[in-house]
Amino acid sequence: MPKKYHITTKAAPLDLEYVFKFKIVRGENCINCGKCTKVCIYEAHKRQKDDPRKMADPNTVLCRNCFRCIQECPRGALEKSLDKDFTNIGGAFWKPDMLISLWKQAEDGNVPVSGAGYRGPFTGTGFDSMWTDMSEIVRPTRDGIHGREYISTVVELGRKLNHLTFGSDGQLVSNVPDSVALSIPILFDIPADNLSSNVREALVKAASEINTCIIMPVAEITLEVEKYSNNIIPCITPMAIDTYEAVLKKARLVAIEYSDAMLNDFQGLKEKIKKLSRALTIIRVPAVKDVEDIITKLAHNGAEIIHIVADYRGKELNGSAGTDVRRLKDIIRAVHLRLVEDRIRDEITIIASGGIAMAEDVPKAMLCGADLTAIDIPLMVALGARIYEEPRKLLIFPEGLGKIPLSIVTQRMVNLMGAWHAQILEMMGAMGIREARRLRGETGRAIFFKEIDDDTFGNLFRKREDMSL
Ligand code: SF4
Ligand code: SF4
């Protein structure tokens, strides 16, 4: 049995001001009876350290919103109210609740519990419009997640052969291409600009600790992070290859921004890199309207790994306007199916990014046809950053973040990935899937709301519409 992959999480509180959903306030009429310390299983209520006769301020970060302390306080001394800053953050895609959830996961690495149950809608846009078939949850195969059987989240990046050829003497004749294995199907993507040096170094260190890689602009690979070269994917334009020869030599993977010229001469570019380095190439292709055509051509031209990059809300770039704009879920499905039709899907690796906001989006993207995903904004949110969508994309970091010790900043990102890994294992166990590689394109385990809605009610409503004509 392979050694179990484990992400070690531990509490890493960020002693900075950031927003929470509710404010809990202890009123003057509190008699310090301590009942709230007993009823809150999340330990949000504690006595003051220096004077245990008195209660400390409630720790809102730990609150899971169950309302038990409010109900059981004998004096009605606790008041919970919606924080007005909370309602202003995020936007239509990055909903405030998502940010709170990410902050909490980064705090201690635990899987979030809503406490008061889920009261939201059961469908939405993008990945929220698909569900996963968790029917294995009631079957013995679910034992896997309790430790008796191993569930592997390992994925491999690289070009693969669609068959092996053996000589008449039984020896392998095929030249098997190199690949890079990652323990989790999540890469860290190019981080935001203007990051302080401790945050930049922490990102690289966290990627190394969880055995994944981070894609970084080649010019930002400084001496402090060079020692992690195994976990850094330099991102480069074809023009800059000669300038950064030394960096490319050490890399296992190199990301190249797509340009139309690659459609004609990708082989030439690949050979140029192969002369300098053994690194595998990732082509970063923006998720534009005809992205499936571009990717199919690149795949036939020998591309090894292709990274589909949608916008930060998981939308198609420069695509159709209004409600017709495709979401990452639909883009991945279109690319995957086109490659399947062309019988070349098994030969290349597809990474998907843009709008991967929560742990469940990772297996969902893979069920749609991606081999793995890449994330950026959730890592920044883990550090207490707020995102605003309107009137334009804005990421605001808490003041003083640059002075927080490297170990805390790193641990928060490791915690986030620990919580996501635990959730991915839960989902895979409940779907009866033992290896992350098998998630790719496994739409038999996915339920798409539109399809089921059409199947169930489509005719009914169509008939009514016809009758009204
Ligand atoms: S239960 Fe109410 S009265 Fe008792 S310590 Fe908590 S807030 Fe104060
Ligand atoms: S609402 Fe629930 S989780 Fe929050 S502080 Fe009170 S008892 Fe704890």
Side-chain angles (χ1 to χ4, degrees), residues 27-324:
E28 295 282 310
N29 51 340
C30 166
I31 53 168
N32 296 300
C33 69
K35 186 161 189 191
C36 48
T37 60
K38 294 190 184 99
V39 299
C40 178
I41 57 167
Y42 303 108
E43 301 185 350
H45 297 284
K46 283 199 169 147
R47 291 189 175 275
Q48 286 180 17
K49 272 195 189 130
D50 49 352
D51 184 358
R53 291 171 302 172
K54 294 183 187 156
M55 297 299 299
D57 285 338
N59 188 350
T60 314
V61 181
L62 300 174
C63 174
R64 293 291 191 268
N65 195 24
C66 72
F67 283 92
R68 199 168 164 205
C69 60
I70 314 282
Q71 283 171 332
E72 301 211 12
C73 170
R75 291 298 169 111
L78 292 166
E79 197 180 297
K80 216 164 184 289
S81 57
L82 201 61
D83 190 321
K84 49 181 188 319
D85 282 346
F86 167 81
T87 45
N88 295 330
I89 53 174
F93 180 82
W94 290 93
K95 298 186 185 72
D97 274 317
M98 282 178 170
L99 305 193
I100 300 286
S101 195
L102 294 171
W103 283 329
K104 280 183 176 148
Q105 291 170 60
E107 203 79 17
D108 52 16
N110 288 338
V111 174
V113 192
S114 65
Y118 178 73
R119 281 167 294 166
F122 282 91
T123 186
T125 51
F127 290 117
D128 287 344
S129 65
M130 70 182 277
W131 309 319
T132 50
D133 175 356
M134 312 273 251
S135 49
E136 290 290 329
I137 210 158
V138 291
R139 292 187 196 147
T141 46
R142 188 170 150 76
D143 286 352
I145 62 166
H146 300 300
R148 286 200 282 271
E149 281 179 47
Y150 184 58
I151 295 182
S152 165
T153 49
V154 171
V155 285
E156 280 179 353
L157 287 82
R159 183 104 187 170
K160 301 190 183 64
L161 299 176
N162 66 6
H163 65 276
L164 293 175
T165 310
F166 293 88
S168 51
D169 55 355
Q171 294 298 308
L172 183 66
V173 176
S174 306
N175 199 0
V176 180
D178 290 340
S179 62
V180 170
L182 301 178
S183 301
I184 186 165
I186 303 169
L187 284 173
F188 293 0
D189 205 357
I190 295 178
D193 303 330
N194 70 356
L195 289 180
S196 56
S197 60
N198 70 331
V199 171
R200 199 171 295 280
E201 192 177 343
L203 271 161
V204 179
K205 213 164 167 275
S208 147
E209 273 187 34
I210 64 165
N211 191 27
T212 188
C213 292
I214 174 165
I215 305 169
M216 286 189 103
V218 68
E220 290 177 13
I221 303 173
T222 53
L223 280 178
E224 295 93 67
V225 297
E226 237 188 11
K227 56 180 180 265
Y228 301 106
S229 56
N230 236 5
N231 302 91
I232 297 177
I233 304 175
C235 184
I236 198 162
T237 59
M239 310 287 286
I241 289 173
D242 295 326
T243 319
Y244 292 99
E245 203 180 310
V247 180
L248 297 194
K249 260 195 185 116
K250 291 186 194 159
R252 292 190 293 165
L253 295 153
V254 175
I256 311 166
E257 297 289 358
Y258 168 77
S259 70
D260 288 343
M262 281 183 197
L263 290 181
N264 303 323
D265 190 27
F266 176 67
Q267 279 301 342
L269 181 64
K270 198 164 125 184
E271 273 156 31
K272 187 173 177 185
I273 292 174
K274 296 279 177 228
K275 273 188 201 145
L276 300 175
S277 156
R278 284 178 61 88
L280 305 179
T281 47
I282 301 174
I283 312 175
R284 286 171 66 85
V285 185
V288 290
K289 204 168 169 40
D290 56 351
V291 66
E292 51 269 52
D293 297 337
I294 297 172
I295 291 179
T296 311
K297 283 180 196 153
L298 288 170
H300 283 294
N301 285 350
E304 298 167 314
I305 307 159
I306 293 179
H307 182 170
I308 310 169
V309 186
D311 92 342
Y312 75 105
R313 292 173 288 194
K315 285 184 180 175
E316 190 171 71
L317 301 157
N318 311 324
S320 13
T323 52
D324 284 343

Side-chain angles (χ1 to χ4, degrees), residues 307-369:
H307 182 170
I308 310 169
V309 186
D311 92 342
Y312 75 105
R313 292 173 288 194
K315 285 184 180 175
E316 190 171 71
L317 301 157
N318 311 324
S320 13
T323 52
D324 284 343
V325 69
R326 290 193 298 181
R327 302 285 175 154
L328 187 60
K329 164 183 79 79
D330 307 303
I331 299 166
I332 302 171
R333 286 189 86 189
V335 169
H336 175 74
L337 291 175
R338 176 69 70 82
L339 293 171
V340 170
E341 261 170 39
D342 273 37
R343 295 163 202 264
I344 198 167
R345 178 63 190 95
D346 286 335
E347 293 176 42
I348 65 160
T349 305
I350 298 286
I351 305 167
S353 74
I356 303 284
M358 306 300 287
E360 60 268 28
D361 297 344
V362 175
K364 284 182 177 179
M366 293 168 81
L367 291 175
C368 288

Side-chain angles (χ1 to χ4, degrees), residues 348-390:
I348 65 160
T349 305
I350 298 286
I351 305 167
S353 74
I356 303 284
M358 306 300 287
E360 60 268 28
D361 297 344
V362 175
K364 284 182 177 179
M366 293 168 81
L367 291 175
C368 288
D371 291 276
L372 71 157
T373 58
I375 59 164
D376 51 3
I377 291 175
L379 296 165
M380 301 296 101
V381 175
L383 306 182
R386 308 176 194 180
I387 185 162
Y388 294 87
E389 291 179 33
E390 300 298 341

Side-chain angles (χ1 to χ4, degrees), residues 432-446:
I433 291 183
R434 295 269 171 278
E435 289 182 52
R437 290 179 299 181
R438 282 195 44 224
L439 283 169
R440 193 199 71 188
E442 183 56 67
T443 44
R445 289 279 175 216

Side-chain angles (χ1 to χ4, degrees), residues 5-7 151 153 183-186 359 416-426:
Y5 173 64
H6 179 72
I7 298 179
I151 295 182
T153 49
S183 301
I184 186 165
I186 303 169
L416 181 74
M417 290 297 96
W420 281 32
H421 181 246
Q423 290 170 82
I424 294 169
L425 288 187
E426 280 285 338

